[in-house]
């Protein structure tokens, strides 16, 4: 490796892309192309970076497997940052090559990229296992910050706010020691999530926004909570999922919102059956659905008939609450992901939401027609963006399991 390539690599490691470009901007050999690609990625020109890295991977000879693996790793990170999650391929093979040839730092970085991808699509157990296989102490200081950021992300999604704050503190310390501005900015951005309203509490006829630590406290309070983000009811260590039973969930939510009062039959029919008038057939169907809901919630509460309707009567708690998204609507989940300010592909959104690409595309088209989101690019390169919505983080909307207990 010549001195200019070495100096450019050191500049990139220190977070100085201009310093790297000053040394290799006019060179077309494979190592220079790779370094130029990484520098362009650090400067935010992801399309140019991807093209340079692909040229570099093709230019490396058959005996330069490690260099090619590094290009694949860099391209995977670009795909992650640009929310093109379906384009991340060959990462496992690249990591194996790097590990086999003793490039521990980049092998660890490949683990980090994969852990972030798993975190982004809500596969928390797999992300946690990936992170556990990557002890932070032997890592370079910048990688320790990245490791702590992923750990914080997992803890936030699991609503373990104390461990999340501790991980973010570790990330902040490591980022300051590394002295990389982009890394510091990422830590600061992640820390803001903890102080941003993440959900809306509806209880006893009043509403207010909750931060994540307040959501955690609510879950630990023993109250009977109807969770409108995950479509479940929980309390006293029991979780009743109703995500596949929308009518029962609508009834449960209506009863919880009115608690400790009752809800008229006509109002329940309107909520559960999409506003249809409460004729005798709907009243009969309401009795059937209330009977089904009684069975589902029997471990948590009774549903008692009153003169005008029904009322929720929890077994072992004096508090009932509804936990709702800060902003609700037909496409709220899509908007929640786009509110992170990144440009998402429709395929990545479908992967993260666990929905079909067709339904996601339909939602994006409707949101674009109303001017809520904007497309960028054309064809397979098209991405979707929206300005960040204050108070609307995605932490409670990802398909993550709730903590038990």
């Amino acid at each position: 490796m010549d001195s200019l390539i070495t100096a450019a690599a050191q500049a990139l490691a220190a977070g100085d892309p201009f310093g790297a470009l000053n040394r290799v901007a006019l060179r077309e050999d494979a190592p220079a192309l790779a370094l130029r690609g990484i520098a362009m990625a650090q400067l935010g020109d992801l399309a140019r970076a991807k093209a340079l890295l692909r040229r570099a991977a093709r230019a490396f000879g058959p005996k330069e497997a490690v260099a090619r693996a590094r290009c694949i790793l860099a391209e995977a990170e670009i795909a992650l940052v640009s929310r093109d999650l379906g384009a991340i391929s060959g990462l496992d093979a690249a990591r194996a090559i790097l590990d086999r040839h003793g490039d521990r730092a980049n092998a660890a970085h490949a683990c980090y990229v994969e852990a972030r991808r798993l975190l982004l699509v809500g596969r928390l157990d797999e992300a946690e296992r990936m992170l556990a296989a990557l002890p932070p102490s032997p890592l370079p200081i910048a990688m320790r910050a990245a490791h702590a950021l992923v750990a914080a992300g997992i803890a936030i999604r699991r609503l373990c706010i104390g461990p999340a704050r501790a991980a973010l503190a570790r990330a902040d310390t490591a980022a300051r020691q590394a002295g990389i501005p982009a890394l510091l900015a990422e830590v600061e951005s992640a820390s803001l999530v903890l102080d941003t309203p993440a959900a809306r509490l509806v209880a006893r006829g009043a509403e207010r926004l909750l931060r994540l630590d307040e959501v955690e406290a609510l879950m630990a309070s023993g109250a009977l909570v109807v969770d409108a983000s995950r479509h479940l009811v929980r309390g006293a260590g029991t979780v009743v999922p109703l995500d596949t039973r929308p009518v029962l969930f609508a009834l449960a939510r209506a009863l919880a919102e009115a608690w400790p009062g009752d809800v008229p039959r006509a109002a329940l029919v309107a909520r559960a059956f999409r506003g249809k008038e409460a004729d005798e057939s709907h009243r009969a169907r309401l009795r059937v659905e209330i009977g089904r809901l009684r069975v589902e919630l029997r471990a948590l509460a009774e549903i008692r008939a009153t003169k005008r309707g029904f009322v929720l009567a929890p077994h072992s708690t004096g508090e009932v609450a509804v936990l709702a998204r800060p902003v609700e609507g037909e496409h709220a989940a899509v908007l929640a992901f786009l509110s992170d300010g990144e440009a998402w592909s429709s395929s990545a959104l479908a992967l993260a939401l666990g929905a079909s690409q067709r339904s996601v595309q339909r939602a994006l088209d409707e949101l674009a027609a109303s001017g809520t989101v904007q497309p960028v690019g054309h064809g397979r390169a098209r991405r979707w963006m929206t300005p960040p919505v204050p108070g609307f983080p995605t932490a409670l909307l990802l398909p993550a399991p709730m903590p038990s207990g």
Side-chain angles (χ1 to χ4, degrees), residues 47 82 343-346 361 364-365 368 373-385:
S82 57
W344 286 73
S345 66
S346 59
Q361 188 59 56
L364 289 169
D365 289 341
V373 303
Q374 291 182 329
V376 179
H378 300 279
R380 297 183 63 183
R382 171 163 283 191
R383 299 290 183 272
W384 297 85
M385 299 184 67

Side-chain angles (χ1 to χ4, degrees), residues 88-102:
I88 298 177
S89 60
L91 193 57
D92 285 344
R95 184 176 66 235
I97 291 171
L98 294 167
D99 195 44
R100 192 163 58 246
H101 288 80

Side-chain angles (χ1 to χ4, degrees), residues 7-17 20-21 34-36 38-40 42 180:
Q10 289 173 344
L12 283 177
D16 180 14
L21 287 174
L35 292 172
R36 285 168 57 194
I38 296 170
M40 296 309 292
Q42 290 189 4
I180 299 176

Side-chain angles (χ1 to χ4, degrees), residues 151-165 168 189-201 208-221 227 229-230 323-326 391-398 400 402-403:
I154 294 171
I156 287 172
R157 304 284 166 80
R158 292 195 187 286
L159 276 181
C160 299
I161 306 307
R165 288 190 187 280
L168 285 170
S189 175
S191 301
L192 287 176
V193 171
L194 297 181
D195 297 319
T196 302
R200 185 163 46 91
L201 176 71
R208 67 182 178 92
L209 295 173
L210 298 182
R211 297 188 312 272
L212 283 171
D213 54 352
E214 294 173 309
V215 175
E216 182 186 31
L218 174 67
M219 295 300 182
S221 69
D227 187 338
S229 294
R230 296 175 174 82
L323 190 67
R325 294 169 175 166
F392 198 180
T394 62
L396 289 181
L397 305 179
L398 292 173
M402 290 294 296

Side-chain angles (χ1 to χ4, degrees), residues 187-331:
V187 174
E188 289 176 8
S189 175
S191 301
L192 287 176
V193 171
L194 297 181
D195 297 319
T196 302
R200 185 163 46 91
L201 176 71
V202 183
R204 295 181 181 271
E207 294 187 15
R208 67 182 178 92
L209 295 173
L210 298 182
R211 297 188 312 272
L212 283 171
D213 54 352
E214 294 173 309
V215 175
E216 182 186 31
L218 174 67
M219 295 300 182
S221 69
L224 191 153
V225 178
V226 176
D227 187 338
S229 294
R230 296 175 174 82
H231 290 83
L232 56 82
V233 183
R234 60 176 287 130
T238 300
V239 176
V240 180
L242 295 175
D243 52 323
T244 60
R245 310 189 72 172
V247 171
L248 297 193
F249 182 79
L251 291 173
R253 179 170 178 173
L255 290 169
E257 287 177 349
W259 189 86
D262 62 352
V263 185
R265 289 176 177 78
L268 288 172
V269 166
R271 288 286 294 269
F273 308 139
R274 299 179 183 275
K276 295 177 180 176
E277 291 185 5
D279 59 20
E280 191 53 39
S281 65
H282 285 114
R283 289 176 182 274
R285 186 182 172 193
L286 177 63
R287 288 193 293 274
V288 171
E289 299 295 352
I290 286 290
R292 290 171 177 163
L293 186 59
R294 281 191 176 114
V295 173
E296 293 292 335
L297 300 186
R298 61 186 179 279
L300 297 173
E302 292 180 41
I303 300 174
R304 296 172 183 162
T306 65
K307 287 185 178 179
R308 63 174 194 155
F310 296 93
V311 64
L312 196 63
H315 292 320
S316 57
T317 179
E319 202 58 49
V320 174
V322 174
L323 190 67
R325 294 169 175 166
V327 178
E328 294 191 281
E330 187 179 1
H331 305 309

Side-chain angles (χ1 to χ4, degrees), residues 48-49 81 107 274 288 357 362 383 388:
R48 180 69 175 153
V81 171
R274 299 179 183 275
V288 171
Q357 193 163 342
R362 189 164 51 245
R383 299 290 183 272

